[in-house]
Amino acid sequence: MQEIKEQDTVLTPAPLLSVTRLSKSFGQTEVLKDISLEVFPGEIVSIIGPSGSGKSTLLRCSTLLETMDHGSLRYGSDTVCEALGDEFGPSQYVPKKELSKIHSHFGLVFQNFNLFPHYTVLKNIMDPQIKVAHIDKAQAEKTARDLLGQFGLSDKADSYPCQLSGGQQQRVGVARALAMKPEVLFLDEPTSALDPELTADVLKVLKQLAAEHITMVIVTHELGFAREVSDRIIFIDKGTILEQGSPAELFGSSNPRVRDFIGKLSA
Ligand SMILES: Nc1ncnc2c1ncn2[C@@H]1O[C@H](COP(=O)(O)OP(=O)(O)OP(=O)(O)O)[C@@H](O)[C@H]1O
Ligand SMILES: [Mg+2]
């Protein structure tokens, strides 16, 4: 019989992001109800679900654009907020100066590009590297030009955002976020403002990143894309995770709510 050695034990990697028992209300409305989520290195996680179900709010709480009411949030071993009392207790955030370093863990891309209109494409990608990450100018430019090359935008380096198509702007937005070398890249409906042809360009870039195992959490209505690239798909309905699993599990779900949603979007 083969001896079992200690080093044979399979170690699970530590999650890059841990959200535990997150709840969030706006006024009287509880928008997120007891959400727990872990994201592991190299994972591609898609979040799908009906409009108003809380997908953007989950991303906004995870990226410190909103505060959560209950539960805890951690990036690796860095705590953002801790639940007081029990796991479901009120969230207590760490002091502001500790929060600033949390931002280096993640990048965020919205649906509406949010580039600086008065900066060239190159400057849009270089500026955060220089100002926030204190990377020297030559290195920042090299990173920016490499990413533009990778995304087929080398000839747009000196253009202004208004001279670019929506799909090109969105690819610059992705390049800008990636230039900061985030551990986790969040994307909130990165293609929803685009027509089908431009959507295809952006999805191509995201597929490239998926193939490189860049860790991503993507809110999307592009079910075909989610099915193709995701390691895990999470279905959120009315502020709770109704179901999660591999694409095969989600697309084969027997839950009527999930089936109905997938059926409508795939139609
Ligand atoms: N700042 C806010 N103040 C008040 N209510 C808000 C705020 N932000 C979101 N909500 C409400 O929270 C609920 C969830 O919104 P959220 O934007 O997270 O949904 P979503 O799943 O991203 O929807 P969509 O697919 O349409 O983008 C909605 O009912 C919305 O009206
Ligand atoms: Mg949204």
Side-chain angles (χ1 to χ4, degrees):
M1 217 169 80
Q2 213 183 342
E3 205 184 319
I4 297 173
K5 297 192 200 104
E6 211 174 307
Q7 63 262 39
D8 288 341
T9 316
V10 178
L11 293 174
T12 317
L16 293 176
L17 168 71
S18 311
V19 177
T20 310
R21 309 205 65 175
L22 153 62
S23 294
K24 169 77 182 171
S25 297
F26 289 113
Q28 298 297 310
T29 317
E30 197 176 20
V31 171
L32 294 174
K33 303 165 193 168
D34 200 356
I35 297 257
S36 293
L37 169 70
E38 286 186 320
V39 178
F40 292 91
E43 248 197 321
I44 316 291
V45 178
S46 292
I47 300 178
I48 62 172
S51 182
S53 58
K55 304 179 298 296
S56 294
T57 307
L58 173 58
L59 253 55
R60 291 175 61 80
C61 287
S62 302
T63 54
L64 281 61
L65 291 171
E66 287 286 357
T67 52
M68 43 201 267
D69 299 332
H70 292 265
S72 60
L73 174 62
R74 211 164 273 117
Y75 278 91
S77 56
D78 286 343
T79 299
V80 179
C81 64
E82 200 72 78
L84 290 180
D86 59 20
E87 273 193 340
F88 192 63
S91 312
Q92 183 168 54
Y93 280 76
V94 300
K96 262 213 170 103
K97 71 175 197 305
E98 280 179 49
L99 279 183
S100 64
K101 78 170 181 196
I102 303 287
H103 285 271
S104 64
H105 288 285
F106 59 81
L108 179 58
V109 178
F110 294 106
Q111 65 179 70
N112 286 327
F113 328 130
N114 61 326
L115 299 172
F116 291 115
H118 54 294
Y119 285 178
T120 63
V121 162
L122 190 68
K123 191 164 162 59
N124 260 287
I125 303 174
M126 285 174 61
D127 219 48
Q129 297 183 70
I130 295 167
K131 294 218 170 110
V132 182
H134 307 295
I135 289 166
D136 75 67
K137 205 173 158 206
Q139 181 56 46
E141 180 167 348
K142 180 176 180 333
T143 301
R145 289 197 188 275
D146 285 351
L147 283 163
L148 287 173
Q150 189 185 344
F151 296 170
L153 293 167
S154 292
D155 58 332
K156 301 293 180 193
D158 299 321
S159 303
Y160 286 87
C162 64
Q163 297 169 313
L164 267 53
S165 75
Q168 289 165 340
Q169 288 186 50
Q170 190 61 305
R171 281 182 277 158
V172 174
V174 175
R176 186 175 60 169
L178 280 177
M180 301 296 281
K181 305 200 170 34
E183 290 164 9
V184 186
L185 182 63
F186 293 91
L187 301 111
D188 193 354
E189 298 197 33
T191 60
S192 66
L194 306 175
D195 68 33
E197 202 174 328
L198 297 180
T199 293
D201 289 342
V202 174
L203 293 184
K204 193 172 140 202
V205 159
L206 298 183
K207 282 180 200 169
Q208 247 171 272
L209 301 182
E212 291 171 28
H213 301 285
I214 304 276
T215 310
M216 290 190 279
V217 178
I218 312 171
V219 173
T220 185
H221 286 124
E222 298 288 337
L223 293 190
F225 164 75
R227 189 176 196 165
E228 188 182 332
V229 303
S230 308
D231 297 301
R232 185 151 50 108
I233 302 181
I234 296 177
F235 183 91
I236 294 193
D237 190 30
K238 301 194 181 93
T240 59
I241 295 180
L242 199 59
E243 188 146 343
Q244 63 175 313
S246 66
E249 284 164 341
L250 246 284
F251 281 82
S253 170
S254 55
N255 185 313
R257 193 79 188 98
V258 179
R259 289 183 73 85
D260 183 51
F261 179 79
I262 288 176
K264 270 191 198 133
L265 273 200
S266 309

